[in-house]
Amino acid sequence: MQFGGNGPSPTYCNCTQPIQTWYKNFGPRLGFAYSLDQKSVVRGSYGIYYSHAGGVGGRAGATGGTGQLGYSGGITAGSSNGGITPGYYLDSTNSAAPSFPLPPFIDPGNGTGFTTNPLYASNSPNGVTYADPYLSRRAPYYQNFNFGFQRELYKQAVLNIDYSGSIGHFLGTGVGRGIYSNQLDPKYYVLAGLLTSQASPANVAAAQAILPSFKLPFANFSPTATIAQALRPFPQFGGFNDIWGDVGNSNYNSLQLQLKQNFRHGLNYSVSYTWSKSLDDTGGSRSAYGVNGVPSSYVEYGLSGTDIPNHLAIYGIYNEGFGKSGGFWLTNQLIKNWSISTIFTYLSGTPITITGAGCNTPNAGTCYPNFNPNFTGPLRINGGYGRANLANFNKPYLDVNAFVAPAPYTFGNAPRSYTLGLRNPGGYSDDLSIRRSFGIYERLKFTFEGSLFNVDNHTDFRGPSTAWSSNSTSFGVVSAQANGSRTAQFSGRFDF
């Protein structure tokens, strides 16, 4: 452990702050537009955009630093009669207060354990929070770019065809960074059951017979700690948090179509459709060291958990033109000047991610199951998601037999996301509104509006449970609704 401030190295960092400012966050913006004729335009743009996250603020308590003090202090003083009188009084001389050494205790070994040294003998020592000196000062950024064509099809109606993309770097991720994850390197799994055994002389000798390069991390390593603990990158700590090790990447590409009609003959509408694909490596990972020599950022790169390939949005407003000017007053008030609007949206489902239980991989990352080589049926069963719930609320829609637990000390082969091409249920919303303003006197008017949400009162379901285990009764079960039931809302407002 290294302390802030100035003093003898390496105990002190001789720095004013643990995270230094990065001065190369350049954010250029480029764009162009070219008119092909009176009704056609092509345009494009490129820009680099930065976000607040990591050590530069906005995530994981960046405004308060790592929270790693490196020292502790306190007073222990008890009442002699069970709290009837105070243990001591704070008077003008403070003479009754027990004395104790003031922090900080400048000790690089503060909070460590797993040793035979009585000062650091704890088998449940502190964890340490590590701020990488380079990554902590790098803000997440995105390179956004687009190219599009716009054409007026007929009067006040415009068609847009656009490509839009984005590439992100230095994003928060659960993949992990080798030793900075403090996970156990998979190469040590050859020790099998010895990993969870105590580091006694006999067990150390047995481990060296299998792995001759094995040795205890330091001479006074505790014989009551495990072999696995001895093999971790930072065996003296109970945990290790690579707080701002943001090395995630993302890639987004989309085709965006829109037909928009401005008000004409009382009608205004827009129809938009987006076809997209989002990839990243910002989810979980089996091991921060990768699998079979392939880095974890490659192994776990796949569809984003938020990938929505299809998005349709339609809205329309119609100012109806019924009635004739100069007609009967009551008839005009009832049928003229009503505005009717509607919004419809559809979103396809996000990728399904199957996580497992029962993996025997000590000090590793996320547990994913294996595909069952003897399974021949479909993973999806029992029809549409949630459709059988009225008859059986515990009916599964994913077959638990499609997976098996990985062999001990091996990683599962199910992908991080989009398992067998499956997605959570998608959904749509349909809302309708009517609106009318009634003139009362001069500038005084009354506006009435009635809205109906979820017009057809349909049900969209949330995704099924994807936490797998061989005896799970909840795996694949849909247990919640994603939308609300039909709702009507009425409002009135006086304007003057």
Side-chain angles (χ1 to χ4, degrees):
M1 180 180 295
Q2 190 177 65
F3 291 80
N6 298 312
S9 180
T11 302
Y12 295 88
C13 70
N14 290 298
C15 59
T16 58
Q17 58 187 32
I19 300 171
Q20 303 303 309
T21 303
W22 181 263
Y23 292 102
K24 299 178 183 179
N25 287 340
F26 300 113
R29 309 283 195 276
L30 302 173
F32 75 92
Y34 179 72
S35 178
L36 299 175
D37 55 41
Q38 291 184 341
K39 294 186 176 182
S40 304
V41 175
V42 292
R43 55 170 57 93
S45 67
Y46 171 85
I48 298 178
Y49 302 83
Y50 293 87
S51 175
H52 291 288
V56 296
R59 191 178 71 84
T63 56
T66 64
Q68 190 75 36
L69 296 178
Y71 60 83
S72 61
I75 298 175
T76 301
S79 170
S80 61
N81 50 16
I84 298 176
T85 58
Y88 62 90
Y89 292 92
L90 292 176
D91 53 27
S92 58
T93 62
N94 201 24
S95 59
S99 61
F100 70 101
L102 296 175
F105 310 129
I106 304 302
D107 178 9
N110 181 73
T112 60
F114 299 117
T115 79
T116 56
N117 186 328
L119 296 177
Y120 312 104
S122 172
N123 272 356
S124 56
N126 295 344
V128 65
T129 300
Y130 173 69
D132 187 282
Y134 171 72
L135 292 175
S136 295
R137 58 185 181 150
R138 293 305 307 267
Y141 75 88
Y142 297 88
Q143 300 178 69
N144 296 339
F145 38 88
N146 65 76
F147 179 83
F149 171 77
Q150 187 178 61
R151 171 77 177 180
E152 184 183 31
L153 298 182
Y154 46 89
K155 190 173 182 179
Q156 295 183 322
V158 177
L159 173 67
N160 292 280
I161 304 175
D162 297 284
Y163 162 77
S164 181
S166 179
I167 298 174
H169 299 291
F170 295 105
L171 309 181
T173 178
V175 166
R177 298 192 304 129
I179 66 170
Y180 298 105
S181 66
N182 205 32
Q183 294 178 12
L184 192 63
D185 193 319
K187 68 184 181 182
Y188 297 128
Y189 287 158
V190 296
L191 296 179
L194 282 170
L195 291 170
T196 55
S197 302
Q198 292 185 341
S200 64
N203 289 333
V204 168
Q208 290 173 337
I210 300 171
L211 192 68
S213 61
F214 169 70
K215 62 179 180 180
L216 295 178
F218 35 87
N220 58 354
F221 186 78
S222 173
T224 60
T226 64
I227 297 289
Q229 183 65 33
L231 289 167
R232 298 179 81 172
F234 303 97
Q236 70 272 38
F237 290 112
F240 192 92
N241 180 17
D242 184 19
I243 186 170
W244 297 316
D246 297 342
V247 293
N249 303 279
S250 67
N251 188 304
Y252 173 83
N253 295 276
S254 67
L255 172 66
Q256 301 175 3
L257 307 175
Q258 182 189 53
L259 176 62
K260 183 176 182 181
Q261 167 73 64
N262 291 328
F263 273 108
R264 187 184 183 198
H265 303 305
L267 178 64
N268 166 226
Y269 65 85
S270 173
V271 180
S272 301
Y273 172 71
T274 299
W275 179 45
S276 64
K277 187 174 186 179
S278 179
L279 301 161
D280 64 35
D281 58 3
T282 62
S285 73
R286 278 149 259 259
S287 171
Y289 298 90
V291 178
N292 297 326
V294 181
S296 56
S297 58
Y298 289 90
V299 173
E300 312 301 354
Y301 187 77
L303 286 180
S304 305
T306 56
D307 177 64
I308 299 175
N310 298 288
H311 180 196
L312 175 66
I314 302 173
Y315 82 80
I317 302 174
Y318 179 59
N319 296 324
E320 57 86 11
F322 303 135
K324 297 181 179 180
S325 59
F328 183 55
W329 175 85
L330 180 59
T331 303
N332 289 342
Q333 293 289 14
L334 290 176
I335 68 173
K336 288 182 65 176
N337 300 324
W338 286 94
S339 178
I340 304 172
S341 61
T342 183
I343 298 176
F344 175 87
T345 60
Y346 166 78
L347 297 171
S348 55
T350 55
I352 277 183
T353 295
I354 307 295
T355 57
C359 292
N360 189 356
T361 48
N363 307 124
T366 304
C367 175
Y368 296 98
N370 268 342
F371 291 120
N372 185 350
N374 299 318
F375 181 76
T376 58
L379 175 56
R380 279 284 289 110
I381 55 176
N382 294 324
Y385 286 121
R387 300 307 169 186
N389 275 13
L390 293 177
N392 184 354
F393 286 96
N394 293 316
K395 184 178 288 293
Y397 295 88
L398 302 175
D399 195 331
V400 71
N401 299 307
F403 303 95
V404 293
Y409 312 107
T410 65
F411 297 112
N413 58 17
R416 176 180 67 89
S417 69
Y418 202 42
T419 307
L420 293 180
L422 293 182
R423 292 181 175 272
N424 290 304
Y428 69 92
S429 64
D430 50 340
D431 305 326
L432 183 67
S433 177
I434 58 172
R435 190 173 185 270
R436 166 75 194 273
S437 292
F438 299 88
I440 299 176
Y441 177 76
E442 294 184 349
R443 296 176 58 186
L444 178 63
K445 64 179 181 179
F446 173 75
T447 300
F448 167 81
E449 184 170 356
S451 300
L452 197 61
F453 304 97
N454 191 4
V455 173
D456 63 347
N457 200 30
H458 72 281
T459 299
D460 289 332
F461 290 97
R462 296 192 183 277
S465 170
T466 56
W468 179 89
S469 66
S470 60
N471 57 355
S472 174
T473 58
S474 61
F475 177 73
V477 173
V478 173
S479 59
Q481 183 176 343
N483 67 337
S485 58
R486 182 192 296 127
T487 303
Q489 176 179 289
F490 300 95
S491 65
R493 185 179 74 244
F494 286 98
D495 297 299
F496 53 90

